[in-house]
């Protein structure tokens, strides 16, 4: 007969959270990469400087810091806020990249 193990559930929850983090990281970085390509195409057509790449560079630097913060929150028994923090920042970064690209399309 198996007994309820809180430690085993904590490990399984952590593994699930980390796998979701990797999945979200791949999604966000695919958007960042696509944005890099779109900015590169726009730079070729119009006279934009390297400053057009700043939102993409910021997204690729800020997002690992957000992941580190959400992992700390998850390990400090704040599981639901950690998931919300991670998903909220991912949605905001993707939305801001779309906004940046739409502004570049108007140029």
């Amino acid at each position: 007969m198996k007994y309820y193990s809180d430690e085993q559930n904590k490990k399984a929850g952590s593994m699930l959270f980390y796998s979701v983090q990797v999945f979200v990281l791949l999604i966000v970085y695919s958007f960042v990469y696509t944005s890099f390509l779109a900015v590169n195409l726009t730079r070729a057509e119009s006279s934009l400087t390297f400053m057009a790449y700043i939102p993409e560079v910021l997204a690729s630097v800020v997002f690992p810091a957000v992941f580190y913060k959400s992992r700390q929150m998850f390990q400090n028994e704040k599981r639901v806020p950690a998931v919300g923090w991670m998903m909220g920042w991912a949605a905001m970064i993707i939305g801001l990249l779309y906004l940046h690209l739409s502004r570049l399309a108007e140029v």
Side-chain angles (χ1 to χ4, degrees), residues 34-56 96-107:
T34 305
S35 296
F36 268 118
L37 293 178
V39 169
N40 194 22
L41 289 173
T42 306
R43 256 188 93 204
E45 291 178 3
S46 58
S47 60
L48 295 174
T49 63
F50 69 94
M51 300 293 280
Y53 289 110
I54 287 180
E56 286 78 12
L96 289 175
L97 286 175
Y98 272 131
L99 180 67
H100 171 66
L101 291 177
S102 70
R103 287 304 198 182
L104 284 180
E106 292 175 0
V107 173

Side-chain angles (χ1 to χ4, degrees), residues 71-89:
R71 185 173 289 191
Q72 282 182 337
M73 289 171 66
F74 192 84
Q75 290 172 351
N76 291 333
E77 304 295 326
K78 297 178 183 175
R79 289 176 170 79
V80 175
V83 172
W85 179 267
M86 176 184 64
M87 298 303 284
W89 273 97

